[in-house]
Amino acid sequence: MSIDITVTVGGAAGQGLQTVGDLLARVCHRAGLYLMAINDFESRIRGGNNFFQIRISDAPVNAPRQPVDLLVALDRRSIREHRPRLSDRGLIMADAGSSNKGEKGEMEGVFTLPIRDLAKEAGGAITANTVAAGACLAILGAPWDLVRETVEDFFSGKSRKVIDQNIAAAEKGHEAGRSVKFQGAFQWPDGRERKGRLLTGADAAALGALAADCRIAAFYPMSPATPILVSLASHIDRFPLVLEQAEDEIAAVNMTMGAAFAGVRAFTATSGGGFALMTEGLGLAGITETPIVIVNAQRPGPATGLPTRTGQADLPFCIHSPQDDSPRFILAPGTVEDVFNTMVRAFDLAWKYQAPAIVLVDQYLCDSMFIALGEMTVPESIPIYTITDADMPDPSAYQRYAFTESGISPMALPCAGQALVKVCGNEHRVDGHITEDATLRRRMVEKRQSKIPAMRGEMRPPSAHHPDAETLLVGWGSTIGPLREAVDMLRSDGMDAGCAHFTDLWPFPAEAAERVLKKAGRRIMVEGNATAQLGALIREQTGIVADGTVLKYDGRPFFPREIADAVLEQTR
Amino acid sequence: MTDVELYHNDYENKWCPGCGNFGILEAMKDALAGLDIPPSKALIVSGIGQAGKTPHFLKCNFFHGLHGRALPVATGAKMANNDMTVLVNTGDGDCYGEGGNHFLAAVRRNVDITALVHNNKVYGLTKGQASPTSDMGMTTKVQGKGVILSPFDGPSVALSLGAGFVARGFAGRMDHLSGLIQAAIRYSGFALIDIFQPCVSFNRRNTWQSYNESVYELTEENHDPADLDAAFKLCRQGDEKIPIGIFYQKETVSFSDRIEVLREGPLVSRTFAPARVQNLLNTY
Ligand SMILES: Cc1ncc(C[n+]2csc(CCOP(=O)(O)OP(=O)(O)O)c2C)c(N)n1
Ligand code: SF4
């Protein structure tokens, strides 16, 4: 890797950071570079300090870096916040007209450009973020025609006037930026060969739902799940799809269930607090054996916690809620490709086993942009797991909860034929009517539980990077990028390190886990929670006790260097 | 016309003898038969409580879900397949208490479902605590000194939210109630029938006798269902004279009809188009 640059664009909420960030990412993508970008923002609409941080490289990158090479400060506060992270070759660029009063010496070494003035010249203060993007790209050495093409493309949905204003703004920024000397500037590729797809985890979840033939999404807005629905909403006109903002999460999960019961693939997406409200519904899906998919985009809790930040602390909650036992799947994809493919799989598994499937993602994965290089497979057809009158010897004798060897009863749809479909959240007989009979109750519990071995058989083993290493870092979900890079760092530091990464968490693939984990001399749990939740699960399911932990619960994503340093510290 | 006997189900009924729910059950069967909707074409969604058990006692497709959550399940089912006739059986506690937020939203959403609120002004299944519709002063084992909250009136709330079909029925007037249910099913949009239903075990105030003495039917002569102000007044008449019938009806565009994609046919019968997903994916 000869290029590895981190650019941070900082400013207040409401300053249009997202536009700057999107433009930077698209220009890099168009040029055939690799990138990954995180969005770090506060739970407010105006003010505060937010930043967008993009890592640009000529080799695949899947984790953020901490040191900042180029800081584009749209306000003074960003200078204060991010200067301490500046790398040796670091440069700060700020708006000359930055009006808020700074401390003495604050502007030292800061390169200023008249961003706001240039924006006004280009057609309005509103284009300031495009000026900033143009300047930033020029500082990095990006050629003007590449920037122009991207701006044109980016604003293509808007009026000609808006497009032209933004091109003018980008050009003014670019001209001004060219005069800035930056050690990190690099030679941009000549071609326009895009590497992979540029998307966020939220985009991937929405696309995955569509690829799974999902036709109904019911939801109640909650960060960081909302971007999934916003992304889905942008595709609404192309598909037979209904998106309904429910009155609350309880309604959302119950609507999802009603839709699935009537034969349409449906899902809901929320975060921990909303998931808490959905748990009774999760139980209803369990006892009624209704195939629903719930995406839980985790954020730190409990209660409101840190609304716009990231964490991985809902694993036991998803495994154990609500009351009593009922089978479910829990899948925690690590990459954007994986989010897409996992959505397809979650729907398939839910319908195949008539059980709820929970997809665990988090703010880091939902809001960050990645280049997806791996396969994202749209199935050619969707298997039909339901039956009709034609499949029954006598439709009038249909029983929704008939006992079978697999525990899975043939599922018919209401009002689709003569067969009456009777579904009940009370304990029920095979025909769906309420029962309190002790023997039947026992048999129904056993019927539902009997699906679990086959469900477990569907679970994939943890993936491993240097599986035979002496020291194995162990993680799950969105941390796969930082984990693998940390392993590479440790190995170049001379340590025999590897990692095992879990995506399929429930029913827990205990045997596979044991096989991978027991070989290592030392196992260190790396998790985004305070108690090593996966570590506890592994211990419960395999008896293997981890030898150390690297835990982060400050709401920020993992950086590979910090994982590597923490591991070195523990193993010294 | 479909034979009423077709709706007969031999699953053991679990209501108390003399309960008002029997009248509602018979009216439902009669209405479905009258409209020629066979059991296989009707979906009944219900919540929890004595009212919630209703679909077990007739032949139909049903989803008997959680306390308070029948309306969202019905909404989801209707979104998936808007060709189905969907009815909801719910109690006053189920609909206006535990599920109050869903009730408000269902009216605003105007999903084409018929909501039958079995209003016995008490929590029956949990043995007689106050419900949102209990009269002030009613004593129960829990509310020993009498209910001190003012009662919730479903019909006037629905009217204030712009509902297009609001009616009140009485479990003791089976034929009249059947007529109301038929009108509600025929209505395109959310139709509320709040049905006074005597609970012989736990409600000593709102009894068969008291209703029989005070109930009167609305006719063309004494009420114009297009008159919203008059409808509000009907909701608030005291216990001496209780009007039953359609309080208010106006044409509305139902939820399904407001959604373009649903006008093209039920979602459940669409085909999967992988190429379209692939094309979209390729734009990233
Ligand atoms: C979440 C939840 N809370 C409480 C209950 C207990 N519960 C069952 S029925 C009911 C009240 C039913 O009253 P109503 O809706 O008026 O119906 P009725 O039985 O009178 O027909 C309650 C509180 C429950 N089943 N679920
Ligand atoms: S408790 Fe009341 S509402 Fe319930 S079945 Fe008995 S009489 Fe009917």
Side-chain angles (χ1 to χ4, degrees), chain B residues 41 65 73 145 156 190 193 213 218 250 261:
Chain B
K41 289 290 168 218
V73 170
K145 296 185 177 168
S156 39
F190 183 77
I193 310 179
E213 282 167 7
L218 295 172
K250 71 167 176 202
V261 70

Side-chain angles (χ1 to χ4, degrees), chain B residues 15-16 19 21 50 120 124 197 199-202:
Chain B
W15 289 326
C16 312
C19 174
N21 282 329
Q50 303 287 21
N120 55 7
Q197 170 237 326
C199 167
V200 295
S201 296
F202 297 112

Side-chain angles (χ1 to χ4, degrees), chain A residues 303-372:
Chain A
T304 311
L306 294 171
T308 59
R309 310 216 171 260
T310 202
Q312 299 184 296
D314 293 355
L315 180 56
F317 180 38
C318 288
I319 293 174
H320 296 296
S321 64
Q323 73 272 33
D324 212 320
D325 296 309
S326 64
R328 85 275 318 262
F329 290 102
I330 301 175
L331 307 170
T335 63
V336 277
E337 298 91 314
D338 203 12
V339 170
F340 177 93
N341 296 325
T342 297
M343 286 301 283
V344 175
R345 227 177 122 219
F347 275 98
D348 187 65
L349 291 172
W351 282 81
K352 185 170 175 189
Y353 290 91
Q354 299 173 20
I358 299 165
V359 178
L360 265 176
V361 289
D362 54 37
Q363 184 270 334
Y364 165 71
L365 194 49
C366 281
D367 288 335
S368 299
M369 278 190 222
F370 298 87
I371 298 277

Side-chain angles (χ1 to χ4, degrees), chain B residues 240-278:
Chain B
E240 280 86 73
K241 281 185 91 50
I242 298 176
I244 55 172
I246 300 177
F247 285 9
Y248 186 66
Q249 182 166 1
K250 71 167 176 202
E251 232 176 87
T252 56
V253 183
S254 77
F255 179 77
S256 305
D257 289 336
R258 289 176 197 172
I259 298 175
E260 204 182 312
V261 70
L262 293 184
R263 289 198 295 259
E264 294 157 19
L267 284 180
V268 70
S269 41
R270 300 301 185 73
T271 46
F272 177 54
R276 229 182 292 169
V277 186
Q278 190 63 54

Side-chain angles (χ1 to χ4, degrees), chain A residues 380-427:
Chain A
E380 273 167 32
S381 63
I382 301 293
I384 295 170
Y385 294 115
T386 51
I387 60 165
T388 64
D389 281 7
D391 306 309
M392 307 173 203
D394 176 9
S396 68
Y398 173 70
Q399 293 180 319
R400 173 65 187 90
Y401 299 105
F403 291 121
T404 62
E405 210 166 305
S406 63
I408 302 168
S409 317
M411 178 175 168
L413 303 179
C415 303
Q418 289 306 307
L420 296 181
V421 186
K422 305 176 181 188
V423 163
C424 180
N426 289 50
E427 193 56 275

Side-chain angles (χ1 to χ4, degrees), chain A residues 4-241:
Chain A
D4 191 358
I5 295 282
T6 293
V7 180
T8 296
V9 186
Q15 277 193 311
L17 280 181
Q18 194 61 47
T19 309
V20 187
D22 283 350
L23 272 172
L24 295 185
R26 279 162 200 247
V27 169
C28 296
H29 185 224
R30 183 179 278 262
L33 291 164
Y34 296 91
L35 66 98
M36 84 78 52
I38 56 172
N39 267 303
D40 186 298
F41 50 96
E42 297 179 29
S43 181
R44 58 196 286 176
I45 308 303
R46 303 267 162 188
N49 184 259
N50 293 349
F51 67 92
F52 169 88
Q53 180 164 310
I54 182 168
R55 181 178 177 192
I56 305 165
S57 177
D58 54 352
V61 278
N62 290 301
R65 263 172 86 242
Q66 250 169 336
V68 177
D69 300 308
L70 174 60
L71 170 62
V72 178
L74 299 182
D75 63 355
R76 288 279 183 101
R77 182 162 162 199
S78 297
I79 301 174
R80 289 197 293 279
E81 296 275 342
H82 303 291
R83 192 195 282 272
R85 292 200 290 132
L86 218 56
S87 71
D88 296 342
R89 59 181 173 187
L91 178 92
I92 305 177
M93 184 199 91
D95 183 10
S98 193
S99 59
N100 23 355
K101 281 221 161 59
E103 288 156 25
K104 202 158 151 267
E106 185 166 82
M107 297 300 283
E108 203 172 301
V110 173
F111 204 95
T112 59
L113 292 177
I115 292 176
R116 230 158 296 199
D117 294 342
L118 292 173
K120 283 185 198 139
E121 285 173 27
I126 192 158
T127 61
N129 39 30
T130 309
V131 175
C136 172
L137 284 157
I139 295 172
L140 293 169
W144 166 240
D145 53 345
L146 173 73
V147 178
R148 193 191 47 73
E149 282 165 32
T150 313
V151 173
E152 170 103 38
D153 213 39
F154 184 75
F155 290 99
S156 63
K158 302 263 162 46
S159 72
R160 192 65 238 172
K161 186 170 165 226
V162 170
I163 299 172
D164 289 340
Q165 276 179 353
N166 279 284
I167 291 177
E171 187 164 24
K172 289 193 182 295
H174 198 267
E175 274 167 12
R178 274 188 298 229
S179 61
V180 182
K181 283 262 162 307
F182 171 49
Q183 283 182 40
F186 54 88
Q187 183 64 42
W188 284 60
D190 289 331
R192 295 281 191 273
E193 208 175 307
R194 288 188 184 138
K195 302 285 193 306
R197 311 177 195 282
L198 173 65
L199 74 177
T200 63
D203 294 330
L207 292 166
L210 291 171
D213 194 22
C214 170
R215 298 179 193 175
I216 290 179
F219 67 99
Y220 187 82
M222 187 170 187
S223 299
T226 311
I228 298 172
L229 301 143
V230 173
S231 187
L232 199 59
S234 68
H235 309 313
I236 193 112
D237 290 333
R238 308 188 199 204
F239 296 92
L241 173 68

